[in-house]
């Protein structure tokens, strides 16, 4: 059986990490007794797309992805403070990739800023189309900001928004929040995990993030009431649904990470938490992720384009390689997925790693992007 996998090379270090990662994914699958083979088909986006088509996100790319069930991509550049808002956001919203899912775990041998990184084993479900990703902003002193400030004061009685303010609006809906929490609940139940935590800032943002919390509890009661319980009414053998205010969750992640298994979060909270947790276990270089709609699983490197080291054979291909493990797992190729993870662990234990990992391993030898991929491949 041949499975088509669309892939986007990415910007900056994207070409290098793809060249190092793809052979590992193919070799892991080839090592299994399976009749499945991968047909990789490239799609264009980012700098390469502009160079070849004049558009950073060609219609042909979106059309192909709308019919796909599996895809992967490298990092795409996003200008700060100017230009297009974000290619990543455009892809997620155009394809309704509403769930950003990031598993975070430690690889033995990596020294990290925390004493017990091995206690971190969480999966973050981050809402991916609302909140700041659907946000509206107006620059300070712009006519739009002044007009909106005047409306808030004169029509709604808001007293703390002056004419000099920059203004942002973050939309969050019941439907968008519930479908994210539903996916997280199904994952926790399917994997027989002990708890799911709703992470929010509802003590201050009562009608957006506070509503996310309440909608999450409502969904659990309405659709999973015979399988879940709460801290107020615990039931042995059921999935525990709890919630934590976002700032408290950061503290919990440092002090008691073993008490948390699946996190369901609005967009911005999940962005912060997933990067912070990755740092606790060794950094974004080994952090895989997937953005999912109801039909498409789109795997991607969770780090940026790293333009300062692009083309220098210094990047870590680990994030894309571990995305490959997630993709194979999605296809039912669990042994091949585990083979990749074990090969990455063995490479770390061997202490020949890329420059981002070397400071976290005593006695490490720094190797390039391509060689690190080859070491992982040889460990399969």
């Amino acid at each position: 059986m041949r499975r088509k996998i669309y892939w986007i090379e990415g910007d900056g270090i994207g070409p290098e990490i793809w060249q190092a990662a793809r052979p590992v994914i193919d070799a892991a699958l080839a090592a299994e007794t399976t009749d499945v083979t991968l047909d990789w088909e490239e799609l264009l986006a980012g700098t390469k797309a502009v160079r070849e088509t004049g558009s950073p996100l060609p219609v042909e790319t979106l059309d192909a992805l709308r019919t796909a069930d599996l895809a992967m991509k490298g990092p795409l550049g996003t200008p700060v403070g100017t230009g297009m808002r974000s290619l990543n956001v455009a892809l997620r919203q155009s394809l309704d990739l509403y769930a950003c899912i990031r598993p975070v775990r430690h690889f033995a041998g990596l020294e990290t800023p925390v004493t017990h990184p091995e206690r971190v084993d969480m999966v973050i479900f981050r809402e991916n189309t609302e909140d700041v990703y659907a946000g509206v902003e107006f620059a300070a002193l712009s006519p739009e900001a002044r007009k909106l400030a005047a409306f808030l004061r004169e029509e709604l009685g808001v007293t703390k928004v002056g004419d000099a303010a920059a203004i942002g609006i973050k939309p969050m809906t019941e439907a968008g929040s519930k479908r994210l929490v539903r996916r997280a609940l199904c994952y926790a139940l399917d994997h027989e995990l002990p708890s799911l935590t709703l992470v929010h800032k509802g003590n201050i943002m009562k009608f957006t993030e506070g509503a996310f919390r309440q909608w999450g509890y409502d969904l659990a009661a309405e659709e999973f009431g015979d399988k879940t319980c709460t801290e107020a009414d615990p039931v042995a053998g059921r999935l525990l649904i709890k919630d934590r205010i976002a700032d408290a969750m950061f503290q919990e992640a440092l002090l008691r990470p073993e008490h948390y298994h699946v996190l369901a979060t609005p967009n911005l909270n999940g962005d912060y938490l997933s990067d912070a947790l990755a740092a606790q276990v060794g950094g974004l270089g080994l952090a895989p992720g997937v953005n999912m709609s109801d039909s498409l699983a789109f795997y991607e490197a969770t780090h940026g384009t790293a333009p300062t080291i692009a083309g220098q054979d210094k990047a870590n291909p680990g994030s894309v390689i571990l995305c490959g493990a997630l993709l194979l797992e999605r296809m039912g190729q669990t042994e091949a997925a585990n083979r990749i993870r074990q090969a990455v662990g063995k490479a770390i234990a061997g202490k020949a790693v890329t420059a981002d990992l070397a400071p976290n391993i005593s006695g490490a030898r720094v190797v390039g992007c391509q060689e690190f991929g080859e070491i992982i491949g040889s460990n399969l």
Side-chain angles (χ1 to χ4, degrees):
M1 181 174 63
R2 308 188 72 85
R3 294 295 303 272
K4 179 179 286 189
I5 313 294
Y6 288 109
W7 63 283
I8 294 171
E9 185 176 70
D11 297 327
I13 60 173
E16 298 162 76
I17 60 178
W18 265 114
Q19 186 175 356
R22 180 172 152 182
V24 177
I25 300 167
D26 286 333
L29 185 60
E32 300 300 323
T33 54
T34 176
D35 62 352
V36 177
T37 57
L38 305 181
D39 284 338
W40 299 91
E41 182 171 329
E42 184 177 10
L43 299 176
L44 297 176
T47 302
K48 189 173 184 179
V50 171
R51 187 169 60 246
E52 297 190 19
T53 73
S55 169
L57 188 56
V59 172
E60 293 79 5
T61 293
L62 286 174
D63 286 346
L65 290 170
R66 288 191 179 104
T67 66
D69 60 345
L70 295 170
M72 294 186 70
K73 78 175 189 67
L76 291 171
T78 298
V80 177
T82 187
M84 70 183 70
R85 182 162 188 170
S86 167
L87 275 177
N88 291 318
V89 174
L91 282 166
R92 292 165 190 176
Q93 293 187 333
S94 298
L95 302 169
D96 198 28
L97 301 170
Y98 65 85
C100 177
I101 306 167
R102 293 187 179 181
V104 184
R105 53 157 289 188
H106 177 250
F107 283 93
L110 274 178
E111 301 166 8
T112 77
V114 299
T115 306
H116 290 290
E118 74 282 357
R119 294 178 183 172
V120 177
D121 190 0
M122 302 184 206
V123 182
I124 301 159
F125 282 73
R126 167 192 173 198
E127 203 291 318
N128 215 24
T129 59
E130 300 188 337
D131 194 358
V132 294
Y133 270 9
V136 180
E137 285 191 314
F138 299 107
L141 303 177
S142 67
E144 296 86 356
R146 290 177 182 272
K147 186 175 182 179
L148 184 53
F151 174 81
L152 291 171
R153 290 193 304 268
E154 296 165 11
E155 301 295 329
L156 300 180
V158 176
T159 60
K160 296 182 179 180
V161 180
D163 281 340
I167 298 178
I169 300 171
K170 51 179 279 180
M172 294 174 63
T173 68
E174 180 177 3
S177 298
K178 281 188 171 181
R179 68 177 179 172
L180 181 280
V181 176
R182 183 182 295 111
R183 185 154 222 148
L185 274 163
C186 288
Y187 178 92
L189 290 166
D190 289 346
H191 290 78
E192 299 181 347
L193 297 173
S195 72
L196 180 147
T197 305
L198 303 163
V199 183
H200 60 92
K201 190 61 177 172
N203 57 327
I204 302 298
M205 292 174 276
K206 301 182 187 300
F207 304 118
T208 50
E209 300 206 12
F212 176 89
R213 169 191 177 276
Q214 188 58 52
W215 290 328
Y217 276 120
D218 291 347
L219 177 81
E222 293 162 4
E223 299 184 16
F224 303 87
D226 59 338
K227 300 176 182 178
T228 62
C229 63
T230 65
E231 288 182 303
D233 188 18
V235 179
R238 292 192 179 187
L239 174 66
L240 176 64
I241 311 298
K242 54 189 176 181
D243 74 275
R244 296 292 181 267
I245 294 172
D247 44 325
M249 186 63 232
F250 275 92
Q251 178 174 263
E252 290 291 286
L254 288 168
L255 299 178
R256 288 173 285 275
E258 66 275 14
H259 293 178
Y260 299 89
H261 308 90
V262 177
L263 307 182
T265 80
N267 183 277
L268 191 58
N269 292 335
D271 197 7
Y272 293 153
L273 272 167
S274 57
D275 280 20
L277 285 166
Q280 285 182 224
V281 299
L284 288 174
L286 294 175
V290 57
N291 296 293
M292 298 187 72
S293 69
D294 288 332
S295 58
L296 172 62
F298 201 165
Y299 299 86
E300 67 171 42
T302 59
H303 53 70
T305 59
T308 58
I309 62 169
Q312 300 177 38
D313 193 37
K314 293 181 179 179
N316 182 352
S319 179
V320 174
I321 289 172
L322 291 169
C323 282
L326 293 179
L327 179 143
L328 292 173
E329 207 164 47
R330 173 81 173 174
M331 294 170 54
Q333 303 298 318
T334 305
E335 292 302 318
N338 289 336
R339 190 183 290 269
I340 287 177
R341 296 186 184 107
Q342 291 163 5
V344 171
K346 188 174 179 180
I348 291 168
K351 299 188 176 185
V353 295
T354 46
D356 62 314
L357 299 178
N360 298 329
I361 302 174
S362 299
R365 176 174 70 89
V366 175
V367 300
C369 175
Q370 189 65 32
E371 184 177 353
F372 190 51
E374 291 168 356
I375 289 169
I376 294 171
S378 69
N379 292 336
L380 290 170

